[in-house]
């Protein structure tokens, strides 16, 4: 691929790129320069080579055997956030959600403050339909751009995203590159106060300084996952250095020396105990990628 501008890194460790800090390497890590570089790479990569994209790794377990094929991580070329007056924000997929909320606050655009509490980047927010405090990405997205496995660029209107709770129905092989959001006119000071409240409430209720992946399981219809986990006696449960958080029992944490297998086995143990105790089958919200060692 003579015209490639991004960096290809063989056998690159992924653990440092995730919140859990576990897992093996990528067979190849690719850091595209920009959207056209990404499209060129995908168009020229033999179709049998698997490709997966990661964001800030805040909703991710990378398994201990690493990830075969190519792992793509978007960097600076996808990192621009711009206000489009009066109430829209355009953001690259590598922009941390918090930066979008801050840009909106500074421009007195209300409705995007919920991004303050989600520690991922915009690509992950689009794929996960990230949300908090009664709002989700679906409520504020106008359209997203993405590149498919063949290197074709698409624009997806909100309805084309087929969003449901923590899920986006766009085929898994699409890598989002940009999003356009819409808020409404607001008061910059009131939005700042709302964001401050979000920060305080997070610090009080979630182990945000730990090595974690946030909510492990989706809330089943009519239930709170943490309540089911608590009722099944799993608060504080430990396998190796993987533990169900004492503070918020839908969070798993790596106390330091956990492997991906410890964390995943702990999650599966929790699912089994909840099923036995309440009959409810928990569904993983955290994405697990790669192969077992
Ligand atoms: C302390 C803590 C608190 C959290 N609180 C919340 C919360 O309140 N609400 C909430 O919704 N989530 C929460 N999360 C989970 C997580 O932050 C979100 O799911 C976030 O949107 C993931 O973004 P990311 O960039 O880290 O993606 P990653 O974890 O790297 O990836 C997650 C998924 O998105 C895909 N993906 C990433 N980038 C792209 C892209 N450019 N194009 C296509 N697919 C892509 C990946 O392939 C993977 O399937 C929390 C996590 C932590 C650690």
């Amino acid at each position: 691929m003579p015209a490639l501008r991004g960096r290809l890194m063989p056998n690159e460790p992924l653990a440092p790129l995730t919140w859990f800090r576990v897992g093996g390497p990528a067979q190849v890590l690719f850091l595209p320069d920009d959207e056209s570089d990404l499209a060129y790479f995908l168009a020229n990569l033999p179709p049998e080579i698997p490709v997966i994209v990661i964001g800030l790794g805040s909703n991710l377990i990378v398994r201990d055997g690493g990830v075969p094929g190519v792992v793509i991580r978007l960097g600076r070329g996808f990192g621009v956030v711009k206000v489009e007056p009066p109430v829209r924000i355009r953001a690259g997929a590598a922009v941390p959600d918090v930066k979008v909320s801050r840009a909106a606050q500074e421009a007195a655009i209300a409705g995007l403050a919920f991004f303050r509490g989600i520690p991922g980047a915009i690509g992950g927010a689009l794929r996960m339909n990230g949300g908090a405090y009664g709002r989700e990405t679906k409520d504020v997205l106008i359209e997203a751009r993405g590149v498919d496995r063949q290197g074709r660029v698409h624009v997806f209107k909100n309805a084309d995203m087929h969003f449901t709770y923590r899920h986006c129905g766009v085929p898994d092989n699409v890598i989002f590159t940009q999003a356009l959001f819409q808020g409404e006119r607001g008061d910059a000071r009131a939005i700042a106060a709302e964001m401050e409240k979000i920060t305080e409430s997070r610090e009080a209720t979630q182990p945000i300084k730990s090595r974690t992946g946030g909510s492990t399981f989706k809330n089943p219809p009519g239930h709170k996952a943490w309540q089911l986990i608590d009722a099944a006696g799993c608060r504080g449960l430990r396998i190796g250095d993987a533990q169900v958080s004492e503070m918020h029992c839908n969070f798993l944490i790596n106390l330091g020396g956990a492997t991906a297998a410890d964390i995943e086995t702990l999650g599966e143990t929790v699912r089994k105990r909840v099923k036995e105790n309440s009959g409810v089958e928990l569904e993983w919200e955290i994405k697990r990628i790669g192969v077992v060692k």
Side-chain angles (χ1 to χ4, degrees):
M1 297 191 205
L4 200 67
R5 287 173 283 121
R7 282 175 73 195
L8 281 169
M9 302 154 86
N11 210 25
E12 185 66 18
L14 292 176
L17 303 181
T18 72
W19 268 61
F20 271 123
R21 298 280 189 278
V22 297
Q27 193 174 3
V28 174
L29 180 67
F30 177 50
L31 312 176
D33 235 28
D34 55 24
E35 188 186 80
S36 66
D37 195 40
L38 172 65
Y40 171 78
F41 176 77
L42 291 169
N44 288 283
L45 188 72
E48 66 276 12
I49 298 182
V51 171
I52 196 159
V53 61
I54 62 169
L56 293 180
S58 64
N59 194 54
L60 206 59
I61 296 174
V62 175
R63 295 199 176 101
D64 300 308
V67 184
V70 181
V71 175
I72 294 181
R73 191 165 193 264
L74 309 182
R76 224 176 298 150
F78 303 82
V80 175
V81 54
K82 225 173 64 199
V83 175
E84 295 189 357
V87 288
R88 290 186 169 184
I89 304 247
R90 193 177 291 277
V95 175
D97 298 1
V98 57
K99 271 198 168 178
V100 170
S101 66
R102 217 174 283 139
Q105 183 273 326
E106 283 165 10
I109 299 172
L112 297 162
F114 72 95
F115 276 136
R116 170 66 191 86
I118 307 178
I122 289 305
L126 293 169
R127 178 55 70 193
M128 298 304 302
N129 187 19
Y133 306 103
R135 300 215 97 186
E136 51 188 11
T137 304
K138 169 176 170 274
D139 300 327
V140 291
L141 184 77
I142 301 285
E143 63 186 32
R145 280 172 73 94
V147 184
D148 69 19
R149 180 61 184 82
Q150 287 75 41
R152 294 173 302 220
V153 175
H154 303 265
V155 174
F156 301 93
K157 298 283 175 204
N158 186 311
D160 305 330
M161 298 290 278
H162 302 292
F163 282 128
T164 53
Y165 167 55
R166 300 296 171 265
H167 176 78
C168 163
V170 167
D172 275 348
N173 69 11
V174 169
I175 297 179
F176 295 116
T177 54
Q178 194 187 83
L180 178 64
F181 298 111
Q182 169 135 350
E184 61 236 40
R185 281 179 199 278
D187 173 69
R189 281 174 58 185
I191 302 166
E194 186 185 349
M195 286 166 61
E196 189 52 39
K197 248 169 83 186
I198 289 174
T199 309
E200 281 168 14
S201 125
R202 295 258 152 184
E203 283 171 1
T205 59
Q206 296 182 355
I208 53 169
K209 304 243 157 67
S210 303
R211 297 174 174 193
T212 178
S215 291
T216 310
F217 303 106
K218 296 184 184 186
N219 288 321
H223 296 277
K224 293 263 181 228
W226 77 263
Q227 283 172 345
L228 296 170
I229 295 167
D230 208 10
C234 295
R235 187 182 287 268
L237 185 68
R238 220 175 133 168
I239 291 182
D241 252 359
Q243 187 181 35
V244 176
S245 166
E246 296 272 3
M247 191 182 202
H248 187 319
C249 55
N250 196 21
F251 279 49
L252 303 183
I253 52 180
N254 173 6
L255 296 172
T259 61
D262 292 334
I263 298 168
E264 193 169 3
T265 307
L266 180 62
E268 286 301 331
T269 307
V270 168
R271 284 184 73 230
K272 187 163 162 273
R273 291 203 187 172
V274 166
K275 172 86 175 132
E276 281 163 6
N277 186 62
S278 62
V280 178
E281 209 147 327
L282 291 176
E283 184 191 341
W284 283 88
E285 178 172 324
I286 289 180
K287 302 283 186 186
R288 293 154 296 154
I289 62 170
V291 293
V292 174
K293 202 169 179 176

